[in-house]
Amino acid sequence: MPFSSLFRLDLRRLIMLLAFLSGIATLSNTFYASYQVQREALIQNTLEANRVYATKLAASIEEYFEAVRQQLGYSAALLSEHFSDETLLRAELARLKLQTDSFNSVFAVDAQGTLLDIYPETLSQLRGIRATSQAAQTALSAKIPLISEPYQGASGYLLIAISSPVWTREKRYLGYISGTLYLEQPNMLSRLLGEHYYRDGSYLYVAGSDSRLIHHVDPKRIGERVPNNPVIKAVLQGETGSMQLINSQGVEMLAGYAPIPSSGWGVVAQRPLKAVMAELDSLMWAILYQSLPWAVVGLMTIYLFARLISQPLWQLARGARSLDAENAQDQIQQVKAWYFEAAQLKRAVLAGFSTLRQRIGVLTRDVLTDPLTGLYNRRGLRVTLDTWQLKQQGFAIIALDIDHFKQVNDTYGHDMGDQVLKYLATVMQECSRTADLACRNGGEEFLLLLSGAHLEDARQVAERLRLRMQLADIPHIDRSITVSLGVAEWYPNSGITVEHVLKMADQALYAAKQQGRNRVVTAAVDVEQANLG
């Protein structure tokens, strides 16, 4: 076989190998970078979701405790002049137990610690005994409404007691009435917590002030003390937040937590990191499977172009060996087409991975947008602000907030609250231009950035948006939904940072709230006049 044929064959193989390795390296690097971005986004979103969830549940439990304390307080006031009347006392205890089913049992203890009566009747054998538990002694000595730590009751159950003192009109202490919640038996509290069990590996638990588990998805762990868990330590110190940790069972968790102030307890909602990563793995495999056909097409194109590359390179080598020939310059001129072929090869590789990049673009947009409203989130806001600053592009800011949004959630439920948020997002997009940016800043707080707009223009847009919401007829909501808005402006070389302008818009929004809500306040004029006033 001629030497020239061997050289051409080896060169073609080398080019093909280099092209294939470059393509695989690019695919692997892009895939890995996408995986890392999505992994971090999923972890942060899960932590935030668990924090919000724990906060809402802690608020619900706090409301429940407030309701049962009111029930006990009402009964204590009712019995203040009839505490020694066995008939009335038994009837009131029965009413407390049966009317709302808030307690597993209800009992009354006199000032000397004697159990006067108890309901249900199945516990009647306990009447007349001395209440010697730590919870009873604390209630007798403190003489104030209390929620006890878990203890083993005379009934044999692990329980907590919620008590209210009984005083006469002459301020004489008679004892207390108490409702108990058996931690290992069904009751209102267990139902409230049990309704929030996920099927994706997530679960929640409640820890008492002594680090003892009051509620857990595994009933066997109720009553167990977990003193070295960093999440429990944080929530029992009154902190609200989220944390990635390895729990007492050695499982890596993504936890959100919030305290219950009246009881000193803490709610923790958590999900195994492994379950979160399983979702990401499934997503990345799906992207890979959909991209493989295009990758195969791209690699085949690389193979064809590699074969074409060998011919002009061979012509270059032949021209180099015959520089003194008359047509040597023409041969080298032909080699110049090699650069065009190389560019074609590069485009073929890029075309082969265009589908993957589109997928990555979709994932990137998901990271930058709010999943509920489709508006940009804080990351998207930051990217846009950085871009506009680099371009020295002025803009106006409208900060807006739904008035009394908590009342909407409390009255109509969180699903209807979400519908209101999505409706407001739609109105914001309809009241803005393509070049503008609508952003959900968190909760019911939104921002609208108007590219190239001045303060008066933004104020008019804000007023139009406010009026649209005030007159909106949202299905299934029989009240007017209003918004308060703050307007500010940033322009290049103003000497004011974008962060300060954002704060000005927020202050204007706060001023709108202070002035009665459902109004527009501009940072440059209205806020200053309010401060002077």
Side-chain angles (χ1 to χ4, degrees):
M1 182 179 291
F3 175 80
S4 59
S5 297
L6 288 175
F7 175 77
R8 186 171 59 223
L9 180 62
D10 291 342
L11 181 60
R12 183 166 61 247
R13 288 179 177 176
L14 180 61
I15 294 173
M16 288 175 56
L17 179 62
L18 178 62
F20 275 107
L21 289 177
S22 298
I24 292 173
T26 302
L27 175 63
S28 301
N29 181 65
T30 305
F31 199 77
Y32 176 77
S34 175
Y35 179 87
Q36 292 299 320
V37 170
Q38 291 304 309
R39 182 181 188 276
E40 183 62 23
L42 275 176
I43 289 176
Q44 293 303 319
N45 289 340
T46 302
L47 287 171
E48 178 61 14
N50 285 341
R51 182 195 66 79
V52 172
Y53 187 68
T55 301
K56 290 182 178 179
L57 187 56
S60 298
I61 297 174
E62 184 73 11
E63 292 175 0
Y64 164 72
F65 282 149
E66 179 62 26
V68 297
R69 280 187 301 205
Q70 288 179 3
Q71 293 176 35
L72 291 170
Y74 175 81
S75 296
L78 191 65
L79 294 170
S80 62
E81 302 301 327
H82 308 283
F83 203 53
S84 59
D85 189 325
E86 294 183 3
T87 302
L88 288 177
L89 178 61
R90 186 163 301 173
E92 182 61 19
L93 294 183
R95 185 193 67 80
L96 271 176
K97 173 66 174 68
L98 299 175
Q99 185 175 30
T100 63
D101 196 26
S102 297
F103 309 105
N104 292 100
S105 65
V106 185
F107 59 89
V109 177
D110 65 16
Q112 289 72 43
T114 302
L115 186 66
L116 297 179
D117 206 345
I118 189 168
Y119 196 90
E121 290 294 337
T122 54
L123 301 175
S124 59
Q125 72 276 10
L126 301 178
R127 292 171 184 150
I129 69 170
R130 295 279 296 177
T132 58
S133 67
Q134 182 62 44
Q137 297 306 311
T138 302
L140 289 170
S141 61
K143 298 181 177 61
I144 59 174
L146 289 175
I147 300 176
S148 75
E149 293 298 328
Y151 68 96
Q152 197 79 28
S155 60
Y157 292 109
L158 184 65
L159 54 86
I160 61 171
I162 305 173
S163 62
S164 182
V166 179
W167 297 87
T168 66
R169 293 178 181 177
E170 294 76 21
K171 301 302 180 182
R172 183 168 59 90
Y173 180 67
L174 300 180
Y176 67 89
I177 60 172
S178 178
T180 62
L181 300 173
Y182 298 167
L183 298 183
E184 299 158 308
Q185 296 292 322
N187 51 57
M188 187 71 76
L189 179 61
S190 66
R191 287 194 292 273
L192 178 63
L193 295 170
E195 292 175 354
H196 301 274
Y197 177 69
Y198 287 118
R199 298 179 182 271
D200 58 359
S202 300
Y203 65 92
L204 58 88
Y205 63 86
V206 179
S209 59
D210 60 351
S211 301
R212 192 184 303 272
L213 294 180
I214 294 173
H215 172 82
H216 197 278
V217 68
D218 182 2
K220 297 178 181 178
R221 298 194 62 191
I222 294 177
E224 176 185 338
R225 292 191 73 251
V226 189
N228 297 321
N229 188 306
V231 168
I232 293 180
K233 289 182 178 179
V235 75
L236 294 185
Q237 291 174 357
E239 299 177 12
T240 299
S242 58
M243 186 184 302
Q244 183 174 348
L245 77 156
I246 298 177
N247 69 3
S248 58
Q249 306 298 307
V251 180
E252 192 166 4
M253 290 289 186
L254 302 176
Y257 50 90
I260 306 172
S262 64
S263 62
W265 300 353
V267 177
V268 180
Q270 60 184 15
R271 186 182 184 193
L273 178 63
K274 184 178 180 180
V276 177
M277 293 301 100
E279 291 184 3
L280 178 59
D281 292 343
S282 299
L283 177 63
M284 300 307 293
W285 277 114
I287 293 175
L288 182 60
Y289 289 147
Q290 294 184 35
S291 302
L292 275 178
W294 291 99
V296 171
V297 171
L299 293 175
M300 291 179 63
T301 305
I302 290 173
Y303 172 77
L304 294 176
F305 272 91
R307 291 178 62 89
L308 292 174
I309 287 174
S310 63
Q311 184 63 32
L313 288 178
W314 172 248
Q315 292 175 355
L316 177 62
R318 186 174 58 184
R321 289 196 302 269
S322 57
L323 291 177
D324 56 346
E326 292 182 0
N327 61 347
Q329 184 175 357
D330 294 336
Q331 292 178 3
I332 295 175
Q333 289 293 335
Q334 292 177 3
V335 174
K336 291 181 179 180
W338 177 90
Y339 295 98
F340 174 75
E341 296 295 331
Q344 292 290 347
L345 178 61
K346 181 179 179 181
R347 283 196 291 269
V349 175
L350 295 176
F353 301 126
S354 61
T355 302
L356 177 62
R357 288 178 176 170
Q358 290 174 2
R359 295 290 179 181
I360 294 174
V362 171
L363 293 176
T364 303
R365 285 195 296 273
D366 288 344
V367 172
L368 298 179
T369 55
D370 172 48
L372 176 65
T373 62
L375 303 182
Y376 274 87
N377 58 20
R378 291 185 179 181
R379 292 189 185 91
L381 172 67
R382 188 70 264 170
V383 170
T384 301
L385 287 175
D386 291 343
T387 301
W388 287 4
Q389 282 183 277
L390 287 174
K391 292 181 178 180
Q392 292 292 289
Q393 176 178 317
F395 57 89
I397 302 172
I398 300 176
L400 58 151
D401 182 282
I402 300 175
D403 297 329
H404 304 297
F405 184 67
K406 184 178 183 302
Q407 294 180 7
V408 176
N409 280 333
D410 292 344
T411 304
Y412 303 98
H414 291 280
D415 289 342
M416 289 307 303
D418 290 346
Q419 293 301 318
V420 172
L421 294 175
K422 290 192 281 189
Y423 184 86
L424 175 56
T426 301
V427 172
M428 290 175 64
Q429 292 172 324
E430 291 175 353
C431 291
S432 59
R433 304 161 298 176
T434 304
D436 300 332
L437 177 84
C439 166
R440 183 184 179 190
N441 203 30
E444 67 272 23
E445 300 177 4
F446 294 79
L447 289 174
L448 184 59
L449 273 61
L450 305 178
S451 174
H454 295 293
L455 199 62
E456 177 58 26
D457 300 327
R459 190 195 65 78
Q460 294 178 9
V461 172
E463 185 62 34
R464 186 164 62 251
L465 200 158
R466 183 197 66 80
L467 188 60
R468 281 281 302 274
M469 286 302 297
Q470 181 181 354
L471 300 178
D473 183 13
I474 303 177
H476 308 297
I477 294 183
D478 55 1
R479 56 173 288 178
S480 177
I481 302 297
T482 63
V483 292
S484 300
L485 307 96
V487 182
E489 176 187 8
W490 182 85
Y491 51 90
N493 303 320
S494 63
I496 301 177
T497 64
V498 169
E499 286 71 19
H500 183 69
V501 173
L502 287 170
K503 185 177 295 185
M504 290 171 60
D506 191 59
Q507 291 173 346
L509 169 60
Y510 178 76
K513 292 283 188 182
Q514 293 295 102
Q515 295 174 22
R517 296 184 172 85
N518 190 23
R519 65 190 63 231
V520 177
V521 172
T522 56
V525 178
D526 296 344
V527 172
E528 181 179 353
Q529 291 177 352
N531 291 335
L532 291 175

